[in-house]
Amino acid sequence: MESARRSPKCSAGCGIAKVEAKEAVSDGPVSEKAVSEMQVSLSDRLSFGQRIALLVIPKLAALLLAVIGATLRFEVIAEEGAVPETPPGSGIYCFWHRCTLPCGWYFRNFHCSILISRSFDGELIAQTLQLLGYTSVRGSSSRGGAASLLALQSLVERGVLVVFTADGPRGPIYQTKIGPVKLAQMTGQAMGSFYLLPERAWVMRSWDRFLIPKPFSRVAVSWARKVAAPPAGADSETLEATRQQLNAALERARERAEEHFRLH
């Protein structure tokens, strides 16, 4: 990866390529509590069983995804006015949580950085994605959100493609959070939307109806038009209106992918 896209290296022993909150918060007002939380190592809070799981599950998951991913056939579609991103890519993009696996494989060469919660499940996802070439910023809208956004702002300004699972990590499904909108406001960058739909997949009984692509499936890569960033001084009503526009774009991408397989 070029030096302009290189993310800060992970501290020794953590096993994940992270952006450290300490670097990010130097450029903006963040509470000491948020900084402290961002610097606490998750490994100090894990049980023995969870530590074993982290040694095994990410490697198995990445291997399984690589085996299945090598058989998938991707078909790129886009609504009028949308321009599909190509590697390495830059800017702010969002997708729905349920298509994380096909996205994880398709975008592995885009040098993405993704916001992932600091939960145990988030650690599993972060370590799996790191094996596929991703970096992660750890945080959420409820814990360390300001520090996380500042870390993402630093990456966007350096030309890195930053990605949000817009309705994650706990939903509700197909309802984007405000985080991408706030980052767009901070950077002035428009927000892109995409949705990856396998024609054949196992559907989990989870809140997001998580998709696991079946081998040799076709996968629609659907792009929607970008949503403009809100003004720097936008009030809460303007931010909410922009969030709704982003939500509509994500839904158009999903509906177009579903329609693609009904017609082809």
Side-chain angles (χ1 to χ4, degrees):
M1 190 182 304
E2 297 127 1
S3 60
R5 300 184 182 275
R6 194 182 305 275
S7 298
K9 292 184 178 180
C10 176
S11 55
C14 70
I16 303 174
K18 302 179 184 176
V19 174
E20 297 292 343
K22 184 166 57 176
E23 173 189 338
V25 300
S26 62
D27 297 322
V30 179
S31 70
E32 292 183 3
K33 180 179 180 181
V35 177
S36 177
E37 287 180 350
M38 288 288 286
Q39 292 175 324
V40 171
S41 172
L42 177 66
S43 63
D44 295 336
R45 307 192 301 270
L46 296 180
S47 68
F48 177 76
Q50 288 174 324
R51 292 170 187 267
I52 296 300
L54 283 173
L55 289 174
V56 176
I57 292 177
K59 295 181 180 65
L60 290 178
L63 177 61
L64 179 61
L65 184 56
V67 170
I68 294 176
T71 72
L72 300 177
R73 293 168 292 155
F74 294 96
E75 301 174 2
V76 178
I77 59 176
E79 69 177 357
E80 185 177 357
V83 179
E85 189 66 68
T86 56
S90 62
I92 303 169
Y93 284 88
C94 300
F95 66 97
W96 292 137
H97 195 274
R98 72 185 309 236
C99 60
T100 296
L101 286 187
C103 287
W105 181 252
Y106 183 79
F107 288 96
R108 68 193 185 281
N109 295 323
F110 281 66
H111 305 321
C112 301
S113 185
I114 187 167
L115 179 66
I116 300 176
S117 69
R118 294 193 303 278
S119 64
F120 170 67
D121 290 345
E123 191 81 356
L124 289 173
I125 294 171
Q127 291 202 20
T128 301
L129 291 179
Q130 190 233 348
L131 293 172
L132 296 174
Y134 293 81
T135 59
S136 65
V137 171
R138 307 304 300 276
S140 69
S141 58
S142 58
R143 297 185 61 195
S148 300
L149 286 176
L150 284 169
L152 292 171
Q153 178 185 14
S154 174
L155 291 173
V156 171
E157 291 173 347
R158 287 157 48 198
V160 176
L161 192 154
V162 168
V163 182
F164 287 83
T165 51
D167 55 346
R170 297 182 181 87
I173 191 171
Y174 305 146
Q175 291 297 315
T176 185
K177 304 295 194 299
I178 198 66
V181 176
K182 289 184 176 179
L183 181 61
Q185 182 185 35
M186 294 164 65
T187 61
Q189 289 269 359
M191 295 165 286
S193 303
F194 56 82
Y195 184 79
L196 270 66
L197 178 66
E199 185 178 26
R200 298 183 302 109
W202 293 284
V203 182
M204 301 294 98
R205 293 181 179 178
S206 55
W207 68 266
D208 58 350
R209 301 197 288 275
F210 195 76
L211 296 170
I212 301 177
K214 291 184 178 180
F216 301 99
S217 175
R218 298 159 63 204
V219 180
V221 182
S222 177
W223 297 85
R225 293 186 299 275
K226 289 189 174 183
V227 174
D235 58 19
S236 59
E237 290 184 0
T238 302
L239 293 178
E240 172 58 19
T242 305
R243 188 198 68 79
Q244 292 179 13
Q245 292 175 35
L246 176 61
N247 212 95
L250 283 159
E251 281 294 85
R252 292 198 309 273
R254 179 173 70 90
E255 291 163 3
R256 184 172 288 269
E258 293 171 351
E259 183 69 13
H260 177 73
F261 287 132
R262 283 196 292 266
L263 297 177
H264 299 82

